[in-house]
Amino acid sequence: MTVTAAITTTAATATALDALYVYGITPAGVRTPRAQGVNGAPVRLLTESGLCAAVSAAPVRLLPRRRDLSAHQAVLDELAAQGPVLPMRFAVLSPEAGVLRSELRSDAAHWTKQLDRVRGCVEMNVKGAVVPGYFAELVRRDENLRALARRTRRRPDYEANVRLGEALARGVRREARHAAREVLTHLAPLAVRTVQGPVDDEQVLSTSFLVRSADEPRFRQALADRAREVGDRLALSVTGPLPCYSFVDPRPAPAGR
């Protein structure tokens, strides 16, 4: 998530003396976080047009060190405990306070609408990985695999073993993807919105759910129920509650920026 292309630089980029590190945007009136910011800098609030941006002095060189990642998250946790927050990803910078105030002022309606959308909500990220040991059940259920396994046992050779291994791997991935669809079917109705993340042959499910805080226990219980149902095919994990990183829509930068 970036504020706009006009005010963002990337990690490991040298910064100007008055550059600001931006943690997130909240409604005006929140308390200044007590947690130290990135590089140990104190956090302060810039208020403009009914909005606050939590910022600190940007370090001369910004690297994704564990302590700074933790500091970034700690600031956002304090803000989220007070109400809705639009969290910025690690390493969002503004060249100086005047630019950031101008962005808040010109895009106030956009950011206010975004804050209303995540008010009272948290992000829950669910991932699902293929369970590789599902072979026995798969062979029992699939006649084609049983026939291939029998032929391989009767005439074992390298190529036959490779064909059987590839067929089993495809079947296991297919079953895991089917289980992932089952999980999404049960969990999606409990969320306000969902965002799909990247998947591959091993991690076949990666979805963020925007969940009302009051519904978090029900969501966790539904996830636990699904984990028991599909655990032989799909290993589920959940991270959260998180600030709503995946549900902040960046405002397009004006043409020419």
Side-chain angles (χ1 to χ4, degrees), residues 67-90:
R67 68 183 183 188
D68 286 335
L69 292 168
S70 297
H72 179 94
Q73 187 63 42
V75 171
L76 289 172
D77 287 344
E78 281 199 48
L79 293 172
Q82 300 182 59
V85 58
L86 303 179
M88 300 297 149
R89 301 286 183 180
F90 183 82

Side-chain angles (χ1 to χ4, degrees), residues 2 4-5 54 84 94 96-98 103-104 124 138 143 145 162 185 191 203 221 224 226 234 241-242 255:
T2 61
T4 71
S94 176
E96 51 94 13
E103 293 286 342
L104 292 176
M124 306 293 288
L138 190 60
E143 173 57 34
L145 281 176
V162 169
T185 297
Q203 184 175 282
Q221 184 58 56
R226 288 298 96 202
L234 187 69
L242 298 168

